[in-house]
Amino acid sequence: MTVAQIADHLDTAILGDLTAGSTAVVRDIDDDSRTIRPGDAYLAIPGRRWHGLDFERDVAAAGAVLVISDRPSSVLPSLVVDEPRRIMGPLTSWFHGEPSRDLRIFGVTGANGKTSTTHFVDAALAATGEAGGLISGARIRGPGYDVVPARTTPEAPMLQRTMATFRRHGVTCCAMEVSSHAIDQGRVDGTAFRVMAFTNLSDDHLDYHESMEG
């Protein structure tokens, strides 16, 4: 994928000095400045304490070729969008060829019981002979992955990258734990679910959602 193709997809102009040209190849898209590698595009997301662009020099030094954010970078070519967090899921899904449409994704959400239910679904799929992947707060497991995650549901770039890796290795379905935080923050936007299960509703996480309605 080139810088120009991403700009066309987002329907926005390329800002800044394009020394390498608009045909520069983008290897991947990531939102974590600490894991940027040469050829990556960096999604600089506004946060409660920090803005992703606070780390623009770090990602430039790591080899990033493009920044996507709500304001331009001072050191890298940029694509400016109104709400970078809201486009993150659909953008990274598109970049990886919409992997969830080639997998059957079984999502599990709710206040309690998400992790155990997701693992039950994974075990049931395996018992039927499916080539399955698992994405939960306890484990991300499948061809090319066996890690303990930092979040219940990964941020969109890691989520779409994981599903693309699963697809490349012949996975046919995936059991996925989906937190309420992930839904609110758009981490699963751009993901096509075959089935979505809801376990229950309680007053957990009101420190984040502030009310039962939220």
Side-chain angles (χ1 to χ4, degrees), residues 166-209:
F166 285 172
R167 178 180 60 185
R168 190 165 60 248
H169 286 87
V171 167
T172 58
C173 61
C174 176
M176 183 193 303
E177 182 177 0
V178 181
S179 69
S180 60
H181 297 69
I183 295 170
D184 182 66
Q185 295 172 10
R187 296 183 212 164
V188 294
D189 289 359
T191 299
F193 290 92
R194 177 64 64 90
V195 175
M196 195 73 205
F198 178 71
T199 58
N200 53 56
L201 177 65
S202 75
D203 58 2
D204 286 12
H205 311 307
L206 288 184
D207 58 324
Y208 178 85
H209 295 289

mmCIF file of all heavy atoms in Angstrom, residues 166-209:
data_model
loop_
_atom_site.group_PDB
_atom_site.id
_atom_site.type_symbol
_atom_site.label_atom_id
_atom_site.label_comp_id
_atom_site.label_asym_id
_atom_site.label_seq_id
_atom_site.Cartn_x
_atom_site.Cartn_y
_atom_site.Cartn_z
ATOM 1 N N PHE A 166 -4.090 -14.628 11.128
ATOM 2 C CA PHE A 166 -4.909 -15.841 11.222
ATOM 3 C C PHE A 166 -5.362 -16.289 9.827
ATOM 4 O O PHE A 166 -5.247 -17.457 9.460
ATOM 5 C CB PHE A 166 -6.139 -15.582 12.092
ATOM 6 C CG PHE A 166 -5.879 -15.516 13.574
ATOM 7 C CD1 PHE A 166 -6.890 -15.130 14.450
ATOM 8 C CD2 PHE A 166 -4.640 -15.827 14.113
ATOM 9 C CE1 PHE A 166 -6.680 -15.076 15.818
ATOM 10 C CE2 PHE A 166 -4.409 -15.760 15.474
ATOM 11 C CZ PHE A 166 -5.432 -15.384 16.332
ATOM 12 N N ARG A 167 -5.887 -15.368 9.048
ATOM 13 C CA ARG A 167 -6.374 -15.706 7.704
ATOM 14 C C ARG A 167 -5.253 -16.266 6.836
ATOM 15 O O ARG A 167 -5.451 -17.270 6.126
ATOM 16 C CB ARG A 167 -6.970 -14.459 7.050
ATOM 17 C CG ARG A 167 -7.466 -14.685 5.625
ATOM 18 C CD ARG A 167 -8.035 -13.419 5.030
ATOM 19 N NE ARG A 167 -7.050 -12.346 4.973
ATOM 20 C CZ ARG A 167 -7.328 -11.099 4.587
ATOM 21 N NH1 ARG A 167 -8.560 -10.782 4.238
ATOM 22 N NH2 ARG A 167 -6.385 -10.183 4.553
ATOM 23 N N ARG A 168 -4.090 -15.641 6.908
ATOM 24 C CA ARG A 168 -2.952 -16.087 6.100
ATOM 25 C C ARG A 168 -2.524 -17.509 6.432
ATOM 26 O O ARG A 168 -2.012 -18.238 5.585
ATOM 27 C CB ARG A 168 -1.788 -15.107 6.300
ATOM 28 C CG ARG A 168 -0.633 -15.310 5.347
ATOM 29 C CD ARG A 168 0.295 -14.114 5.352
ATOM 30 N NE ARG A 168 0.877 -13.849 6.662
ATOM 31 C CZ ARG A 168 0.588 -12.779 7.397
ATOM 32 N NH1 ARG A 168 -0.289 -11.881 6.972
ATOM 33 N NH2 ARG A 168 1.175 -12.587 8.559
ATOM 34 N N HIS A 169 -2.775 -17.923 7.686
ATOM 35 C CA HIS A 169 -2.392 -19.264 8.120
ATOM 36 C C HIS A 169 -3.561 -20.252 8.069
ATOM 37 O O HIS A 169 -3.478 -21.329 8.663
ATOM 38 C CB HIS A 169 -1.815 -19.216 9.531
ATOM 39 C CG HIS A 169 -0.427 -18.641 9.583
ATOM 40 N ND1 HIS A 169 -0.199 -17.290 9.698
ATOM 41 C CD2 HIS A 169 0.798 -19.233 9.517
ATOM 42 C CE1 HIS A 169 1.112 -17.076 9.723
ATOM 43 N NE2 HIS A 169 1.738 -18.217 9.604
ATOM 44 N N GLY A 170 -4.647 -19.892 7.405
ATOM 45 C CA GLY A 170 -5.718 -20.853 7.185
ATOM 46 C C GLY A 170 -6.764 -20.951 8.275
ATOM 47 O O GLY A 170 -7.581 -21.884 8.272
ATOM 48 N N VAL A 171 -6.776 -20.008 9.213
ATOM 49 C CA VAL A 171 -7.812 -20.008 10.252
ATOM 50 C C VAL A 171 -9.173 -19.734 9.603
ATOM 51 O O VAL A 171 -9.288 -18.889 8.716
ATOM 52 C CB VAL A 171 -7.488 -18.953 11.330
ATOM 53 C CG1 VAL A 171 -8.677 -18.713 12.244
ATOM 54 C CG2 VAL A 171 -6.270 -19.390 12.139
ATOM 55 N N THR A 172 -10.183 -20.450 10.052
ATOM 56 C CA THR A 172 -11.524 -20.287 9.477
ATOM 57 C C THR A 172 -12.495 -19.554 10.393
ATOM 58 O O THR A 172 -13.534 -19.079 9.936
ATOM 59 C CB THR A 172 -12.125 -21.665 9.137
ATOM 60 O OG1 THR A 172 -12.172 -22.471 10.330
ATOM 61 C CG2 THR A 172 -11.290 -22.374 8.085
ATOM 62 N N CYS A 173 -12.177 -19.477 11.695
ATOM 63 C CA CYS A 173 -13.077 -18.806 12.627
ATOM 64 C C CYS A 173 -12.277 -18.295 13.820
ATOM 65 O O CYS A 173 -11.138 -18.708 14.037
ATOM 66 C CB CYS A 173 -14.187 -19.751 13.094
ATOM 67 S SG CYS A 173 -13.569 -21.211 13.958
ATOM 68 N N CYS A 174 -12.893 -17.407 14.598
ATOM 69 C CA CYS A 174 -12.187 -16.810 15.729
ATOM 70 C C CYS A 174 -13.184 -16.468 16.827
ATOM 71 O O CYS A 174 -14.226 -15.853 16.561
ATOM 72 C CB CYS A 174 -11.446 -15.554 15.276
ATOM 73 S SG CYS A 174 -10.607 -14.653 16.606
ATOM 74 N N ALA A 175 -12.886 -16.875 18.056
ATOM 75 C CA ALA A 175 -13.656 -16.458 19.226
ATOM 76 C C ALA A 175 -12.978 -15.214 19.803
ATOM 77 O O ALA A 175 -11.777 -15.227 20.071
ATOM 78 C CB ALA A 175 -13.703 -17.573 20.262
ATOM 79 N N MET A 176 -13.745 -14.143 19.987
ATOM 80 C CA MET A 176 -13.160 -12.871 20.406
ATOM 81 C C MET A 176 -13.910 -12.276 21.591
ATOM 82 O O MET A 176 -15.129 -12.118 21.559
ATOM 83 C CB MET A 176 -13.190 -11.864 19.249
ATOM 84 C CG MET A 176 -12.527 -10.527 19.592
ATOM 85 S SD MET A 176 -12.870 -9.215 18.375
ATOM 86 C CE MET A 176 -12.271 -9.977 16.875
ATOM 87 N N GLU A 177 -13.176 -11.933 22.626
ATOM 88 C CA GLU A 177 -13.731 -11.211 23.761
ATOM 89 C C GLU A 177 -13.752 -9.720 23.432
ATOM 90 O O GLU A 177 -12.735 -9.158 23.009
ATOM 91 C CB GLU A 177 -12.889 -11.467 25.013
ATOM 92 C CG GLU A 177 -13.408 -10.791 26.258
ATOM 93 C CD GLU A 177 -12.590 -11.131 27.503
ATOM 94 O OE1 GLU A 177 -11.607 -11.898 27.395
ATOM 95 O OE2 GLU A 177 -12.944 -10.623 28.580
ATOM 96 N N VAL A 178 -14.904 -9.093 23.625
ATOM 97 C CA VAL A 178 -15.078 -7.685 23.254
ATOM 98 C C VAL A 178 -15.491 -6.899 24.496
ATOM 99 O O VAL A 178 -16.596 -7.067 25.014
ATOM 100 C CB VAL A 178 -16.133 -7.534 22.147
ATOM 101 C CG1 VAL A 178 -16.270 -6.062 21.758
ATOM 102 C CG2 VAL A 178 -15.767 -8.377 20.928
ATOM 103 N N SER A 179 -14.621 -6.042 24.971
ATOM 104 C CA SER A 179 -14.926 -5.255 26.163
ATOM 105 C C SER A 179 -15.793 -4.046 25.816
ATOM 106 O O SER A 179 -15.826 -3.573 24.673
ATOM 107 C CB SER A 179 -13.632 -4.771 26.827
ATOM 108 O OG SER A 179 -12.988 -3.803 26.011
ATOM 109 N N SER A 180 -16.493 -3.523 26.823
ATOM 110 C CA SER A 180 -17.300 -2.325 26.612
ATOM 111 C C SER A 180 -16.405 -1.127 26.273
ATOM 112 O O SER A 180 -16.806 -0.246 25.505
ATOM 113 C CB SER A 180 -18.135 -2.024 27.856
ATOM 114 O OG SER A 180 -17.298 -1.817 28.994
ATOM 115 N N HIS A 181 -15.191 -1.098 26.837
ATOM 116 C CA HIS A 181 -14.243 -0.038 26.501
ATOM 117 C C HIS A 181 -13.914 -0.091 25.014
ATOM 118 O O HIS A 181 -13.842 0.938 24.335
ATOM 119 C CB HIS A 181 -12.949 -0.191 27.308
ATOM 120 C CG HIS A 181 -13.121 -0.066 28.788
ATOM 121 N ND1 HIS A 181 -13.785 -1.005 29.541
ATOM 122 C CD2 HIS A 181 -12.707 0.897 29.655
ATOM 123 C CE1 HIS A 181 -13.772 -0.644 30.818
ATOM 124 N NE2 HIS A 181 -13.134 0.516 30.913
ATOM 125 N N ALA A 182 -13.692 -1.319 24.493
ATOM 126 C CA ALA A 182 -13.332 -1.479 23.087
ATOM 127 C C ALA A 182 -14.448 -1.003 22.174
ATOM 128 O O ALA A 182 -14.196 -0.386 21.136
ATOM 129 C CB ALA A 182 -13.003 -2.946 22.804
ATOM 130 N N ILE A 183 -15.694 -1.295 22.565
ATOM 131 C CA ILE A 183 -16.832 -0.850 21.755
ATOM 132 C C ILE A 183 -16.911 0.670 21.761
ATOM 133 O O ILE A 183 -17.037 1.315 20.714
ATOM 134 C CB ILE A 183 -18.140 -1.465 22.281
ATOM 135 C CG1 ILE A 183 -18.116 -2.992 22.113
ATOM 136 C CG2 ILE A 183 -19.343 -0.867 21.550
ATOM 137 C CD1 ILE A 183 -19.260 -3.703 22.813
ATOM 138 N N ASP A 184 -16.800 1.274 22.949
ATOM 139 C CA ASP A 184 -16.908 2.726 23.081
ATOM 140 C C ASP A 184 -15.782 3.443 22.349
ATOM 141 O O ASP A 184 -15.996 4.500 21.752
ATOM 142 C CB ASP A 184 -16.896 3.102 24.567
ATOM 143 C CG ASP A 184 -17.066 4.599 24.781
ATOM 144 O OD1 ASP A 184 -18.154 5.105 24.463
ATOM 145 O OD2 ASP A 184 -16.115 5.247 25.251
ATOM 146 N N GLN A 185 -14.587 2.866 22.376
ATOM 147 C CA GLN A 185 -13.418 3.499 21.765
ATOM 148 C C GLN A 185 -13.238 3.140 20.290
ATOM 149 O O GLN A 185 -12.275 3.583 19.664
ATOM 150 C CB GLN A 185 -12.160 3.124 22.555
ATOM 151 C CG GLN A 185 -12.156 3.669 23.967
ATOM 152 C CD GLN A 185 -11.007 3.135 24.804
ATOM 153 O OE1 GLN A 185 -10.089 2.491 24.294
ATOM 154 N NE2 GLN A 185 -11.047 3.395 26.104
ATOM 155 N N GLY A 186 -14.141 2.349 19.743
ATOM 156 C CA GLY A 186 -14.081 2.039 18.323
ATOM 157 C C GLY A 186 -13.044 1.022 17.927
ATOM 158 O O GLY A 186 -12.716 0.902 16.741
ATOM 159 N N ARG A 187 -12.529 0.248 18.885
ATOM 160 C CA ARG A 187 -11.484 -0.727 18.539
ATOM 161 C C ARG A 187 -11.981 -1.824 17.613
ATOM 162 O O ARG A 187 -11.203 -2.378 16.832
ATOM 163 C CB ARG A 187 -10.915 -1.372 19.808
ATOM 164 C CG ARG A 187 -10.194 -0.429 20.735
ATOM 165 C CD ARG A 187 -9.615 -1.193 21.912
ATOM 166 N NE ARG A 187 -9.584 -0.377 23.111
ATOM 167 C CZ ARG A 187 -9.419 -0.861 24.335
ATOM 168 N NH1 ARG A 187 -9.290 -2.165 24.513
ATOM 169 N NH2 ARG A 187 -9.418 -0.052 25.370
ATOM 170 N N VAL A 188 -13.270 -2.167 17.704
ATOM 171 C CA VAL A 188 -13.806 -3.233 16.852
ATOM 172 C C VAL A 188 -14.564 -2.675 15.650
ATOM 173 O O VAL A 188 -15.144 -3.447 14.883
ATOM 174 C CB VAL A 188 -14.707 -4.203 17.645
ATOM 175 C CG1 VAL A 188 -13.895 -4.966 18.675
ATOM 176 C CG2 VAL A 188 -15.861 -3.451 18.318
ATOM 177 N N ASP A 189 -14.559 -1.363 15.459
ATOM 178 C CA ASP A 189 -15.139 -0.802 14.241
ATOM 179 C C ASP A 189 -14.372 -1.369 13.048
ATOM 180 O O ASP A 189 -13.142 -1.485 13.070
ATOM 181 C CB ASP A 189 -15.024 0.730 14.240
ATOM 182 C CG ASP A 189 -15.947 1.390 15.250
ATOM 183 O OD1 ASP A 189 -16.688 0.658 15.943
ATOM 184 O OD2 ASP A 189 -15.901 2.620 15.360
ATOM 185 N N GLY A 190 -15.098 -1.720 12.002
ATOM 186 C CA GLY A 190 -14.461 -2.323 10.839
ATOM 187 C C GLY A 190 -14.371 -3.832 10.921
ATOM 188 O O GLY A 190 -13.914 -4.471 9.967
ATOM 189 N N THR A 191 -14.809 -4.424 12.033
ATOM 190 C CA THR A 191 -14.808 -5.876 12.199
ATOM 191 C C THR A 191 -16.204 -6.423 11.924
ATOM 192 O O THR A 191 -17.186 -5.939 12.485
ATOM 193 C CB THR A 191 -14.377 -6.272 13.630
ATOM 194 O OG1 THR A 191 -13.045 -5.794 13.864
ATOM 195 C CG2 THR A 191 -14.415 -7.779 13.815
ATOM 196 N N ALA A 192 -16.282 -7.421 11.072
ATOM 197 C CA ALA A 192 -17.560 -8.053 10.730
ATOM 198 C C ALA A 192 -17.741 -9.288 11.606
ATOM 199 O O ALA A 192 -16.971 -10.249 11.502
ATOM 200 C CB ALA A 192 -17.586 -8.442 9.258
ATOM 201 N N PHE A 193 -18.755 -9.262 12.487
ATOM 202 C CA PHE A 193 -19.023 -10.388 13.379
ATOM 203 C C PHE A 193 -20.072 -11.309 12.765
ATOM 204 O O PHE A 193 -21.104 -10.849 12.260
ATOM 205 C CB PHE A 193 -19.519 -9.889 14.742
ATOM 206 C CG PHE A 193 -18.454 -9.205 15.558
ATOM 207 C CD1 PHE A 193 -18.282 -7.820 15.487
ATOM 208 C CD2 PHE A 193 -17.627 -9.929 16.389
ATOM 209 C CE1 PHE A 193 -17.306 -7.187 16.246
ATOM 210 C CE2 PHE A 193 -16.642 -9.305 17.151
ATOM 211 C CZ PHE A 193 -16.485 -7.933 17.067
ATOM 212 N N ARG A 194 -19.826 -12.616 12.826
ATOM 213 C CA ARG A 194 -20.838 -13.582 12.407
ATOM 214 C C ARG A 194 -21.912 -13.707 13.483
ATOM 215 O O ARG A 194 -23.109 -13.771 13.188
ATOM 216 C CB ARG A 194 -20.173 -14.950 12.158
ATOM 217 C CG ARG A 194 -21.140 -16.076 11.777
ATOM 218 C CD ARG A 194 -21.819 -15.789 10.457
ATOM 219 N NE ARG A 194 -20.874 -15.736 9.354
ATOM 220 C CZ ARG A 194 -20.530 -16.796 8.619
ATOM 221 N NH1 ARG A 194 -21.048 -17.986 8.871
ATOM 222 N NH2 ARG A 194 -19.681 -16.657 7.626
ATOM 223 N N VAL A 195 -21.468 -13.771 14.757
ATOM 224 C CA VAL A 195 -22.383 -13.872 15.900
ATOM 225 C C VAL A 195 -21.828 -12.981 17.007
ATOM 226 O O VAL A 195 -20.619 -12.889 17.188
ATOM 227 C CB VAL A 195 -22.501 -15.329 16.414
ATOM 228 C CG1 VAL A 195 -23.350 -15.387 17.682
ATOM 229 C CG2 VAL A 195 -23.081 -16.247 15.346
ATOM 230 N N MET A 196 -22.738 -12.329 17.766
ATOM 231 C CA MET A 196 -22.315 -11.545 18.925
ATOM 232 C C MET A 196 -23.129 -11.992 20.125
ATOM 233 O O MET A 196 -24.373 -11.968 20.084
ATOM 234 C CB MET A 196 -22.547 -10.059 18.667
ATOM 235 C CG MET A 196 -21.815 -9.148 19.642
ATOM 236 S SD MET A 196 -20.049 -9.106 19.317
ATOM 237 C CE MET A 196 -19.420 -8.656 20.938
ATOM 238 N N ALA A 197 -22.476 -12.439 21.184
ATOM 239 C CA ALA A 197 -23.154 -12.909 22.395
ATOM 240 C C ALA A 197 -23.020 -11.868 23.499
ATOM 241 O O ALA A 197 -21.969 -11.226 23.638
ATOM 242 C CB ALA A 197 -22.551 -14.228 22.858
ATOM 243 N N PHE A 198 -24.087 -11.710 24.281
ATOM 244 C CA PHE A 198 -24.101 -10.769 25.411
ATOM 245 C C PHE A 198 -24.337 -11.575 26.681
ATOM 246 O O PHE A 198 -25.360 -12.244 26.818
ATOM 247 C CB PHE A 198 -25.214 -9.739 25.205
ATOM 248 C CG PHE A 198 -25.348 -8.754 26.323
ATOM 249 C CD1 PHE A 198 -24.393 -7.781 26.533
ATOM 250 C CD2 PHE A 198 -26.442 -8.805 27.175
ATOM 251 C CE1 PHE A 198 -24.525 -6.868 27.567
ATOM 252 C CE2 PHE A 198 -26.583 -7.900 28.212
ATOM 253 C CZ PHE A 198 -25.624 -6.922 28.409
ATOM 254 N N THR A 199 -23.390 -11.506 27.620
ATOM 255 C CA THR A 199 -23.485 -12.345 28.820
ATOM 256 C C THR A 199 -24.428 -11.744 29.864
ATOM 257 O O THR A 199 -25.341 -12.424 30.341
ATOM 258 C CB THR A 199 -22.096 -12.558 29.442
ATOM 259 O OG1 THR A 199 -21.509 -11.284 29.759
ATOM 260 C CG2 THR A 199 -21.189 -13.323 28.486
ATOM 261 N N ASN A 200 -24.218 -10.484 30.233
ATOM 262 C CA ASN A 200 -25.043 -9.849 31.269
ATOM 263 C C ASN A 200 -24.695 -8.366 31.366
ATOM 264 O O ASN A 200 -23.749 -7.894 30.731
ATOM 265 C CB ASN A 200 -24.836 -10.534 32.628
ATOM 266 C CG ASN A 200 -23.363 -10.605 32.997
ATOM 267 O OD1 ASN A 200 -22.682 -9.592 33.051
ATOM 268 N ND2 ASN A 200 -22.846 -11.806 33.241
ATOM 269 N N LEU A 201 -25.470 -7.659 32.191
ATOM 270 C CA LEU A 201 -25.226 -6.239 32.428
ATOM 271 C C LEU A 201 -25.198 -5.999 33.931
ATOM 272 O O LEU A 201 -26.095 -6.430 34.651
ATOM 273 C CB LEU A 201 -26.324 -5.392 31.785
ATOM 274 C CG LEU A 201 -26.240 -3.870 32.014
ATOM 275 C CD1 LEU A 201 -24.996 -3.296 31.345
ATOM 276 C CD2 LEU A 201 -27.495 -3.186 31.498
ATOM 277 N N SER A 202 -24.141 -5.337 34.404
ATOM 278 C CA SER A 202 -24.065 -4.974 35.817
ATOM 279 C C SER A 202 -23.431 -3.598 35.922
ATOM 280 O O SER A 202 -23.139 -2.956 34.911
ATOM 281 C CB SER A 202 -23.253 -6.017 36.601
ATOM 282 O OG SER A 202 -21.871 -5.873 36.331
ATOM 283 N N ASP A 203 -23.181 -3.153 37.167
ATOM 284 C CA ASP A 203 -22.649 -1.807 37.353
ATOM 285 C C ASP A 203 -21.124 -1.770 37.351
ATOM 286 O O ASP A 203 -20.527 -0.799 37.834
ATOM 287 C CB ASP A 203 -23.202 -1.191 38.638
ATOM 288 C CG ASP A 203 -22.887 -2.033 39.869
ATOM 289 O OD1 ASP A 203 -22.205 -3.075 39.732
ATOM 290 O OD2 ASP A 203 -23.334 -1.651 40.960
ATOM 291 N N ASP A 204 -20.473 -2.807 36.801
ATOM 292 C CA ASP A 204 -19.019 -2.756 36.639
ATOM 293 C C ASP A 204 -18.645 -1.642 35.647
ATOM 294 O O ASP A 204 -19.429 -1.288 34.770
ATOM 295 C CB ASP A 204 -18.492 -4.090 36.101
ATOM 296 C CG ASP A 204 -18.498 -5.177 37.156
ATOM 297 O OD1 ASP A 204 -19.118 -4.956 38.208
ATOM 298 O OD2 ASP A 204 -17.914 -6.239 36.926
ATOM 299 N N HIS A 205 -17.447 -1.110 35.794
ATOM 300 C CA HIS A 205 -16.851 -0.150 34.857
ATOM 301 C C HIS A 205 -17.565 1.201 34.826
ATOM 302 O O HIS A 205 -17.427 1.953 33.859
ATOM 303 C CB HIS A 205 -16.804 -0.730 33.432
ATOM 304 C CG HIS A 205 -16.219 -2.104 33.360
ATOM 305 N ND1 HIS A 205 -14.989 -2.409 33.896
ATOM 306 C CD2 HIS A 205 -16.713 -3.250 32.820
ATOM 307 C CE1 HIS A 205 -14.732 -3.692 33.690
ATOM 308 N NE2 HIS A 205 -15.767 -4.228 33.054
ATOM 309 N N LEU A 206 -18.317 1.528 35.878
ATOM 310 C CA LEU A 206 -18.958 2.841 35.901
ATOM 311 C C LEU A 206 -17.932 3.957 36.100
ATOM 312 O O LEU A 206 -18.230 5.131 35.848
ATOM 313 C CB LEU A 206 -20.021 2.908 36.996
ATOM 314 C CG LEU A 206 -21.297 2.091 36.724
ATOM 315 C CD1 LEU A 206 -22.300 2.313 37.837
ATOM 316 C CD2 LEU A 206 -21.908 2.462 35.374
ATOM 317 N N ASP A 207 -16.716 3.602 36.530
ATOM 318 C CA ASP A 207 -15.659 4.590 36.593
ATOM 319 C C ASP A 207 -15.327 5.120 35.206
ATOM 320 O O ASP A 207 -14.898 6.261 35.053
ATOM 321 C CB ASP A 207 -14.392 4.000 37.240
ATOM 322 C CG ASP A 207 -13.879 2.780 36.487
ATOM 323 O OD1 ASP A 207 -14.704 1.996 35.976
ATOM 324 O OD2 ASP A 207 -12.646 2.611 36.409
ATOM 325 N N TYR A 208 -15.566 4.306 34.191
ATOM 326 C CA TYR A 208 -15.321 4.707 32.803
ATOM 327 C C TYR A 208 -16.584 5.228 32.136
ATOM 328 O O TYR A 208 -16.604 6.312 31.559
ATOM 329 C CB TYR A 208 -14.766 3.527 32.011
ATOM 330 C CG TYR A 208 -14.528 3.849 30.535
ATOM 331 C CD1 TYR A 208 -13.339 4.453 30.108
ATOM 332 C CD2 TYR A 208 -15.501 3.563 29.582
ATOM 333 C CE1 TYR A 208 -13.144 4.764 28.778
ATOM 334 C CE2 TYR A 208 -15.309 3.873 28.242
ATOM 335 C CZ TYR A 208 -14.131 4.471 27.847
ATOM 336 O OH TYR A 208 -13.939 4.793 26.520
ATOM 337 N N HIS A 209 -17.672 4.441 32.220
ATOM 338 C CA HIS A 209 -18.899 4.778 31.483
ATOM 339 C C HIS A 209 -19.782 5.808 32.193
ATOM 340 O O HIS A 209 -20.658 6.404 31.573
ATOM 341 C CB HIS A 209 -19.705 3.505 31.222
ATOM 342 C CG HIS A 209 -19.005 2.528 30.322
ATOM 343 N ND1 HIS A 209 -18.828 2.760 28.974
ATOM 344 C CD2 HIS A 209 -18.416 1.336 30.578
ATOM 345 C CE1 HIS A 209 -18.180 1.744 28.431
ATOM 346 N NE2 HIS A 209 -17.904 0.872 29.387
#
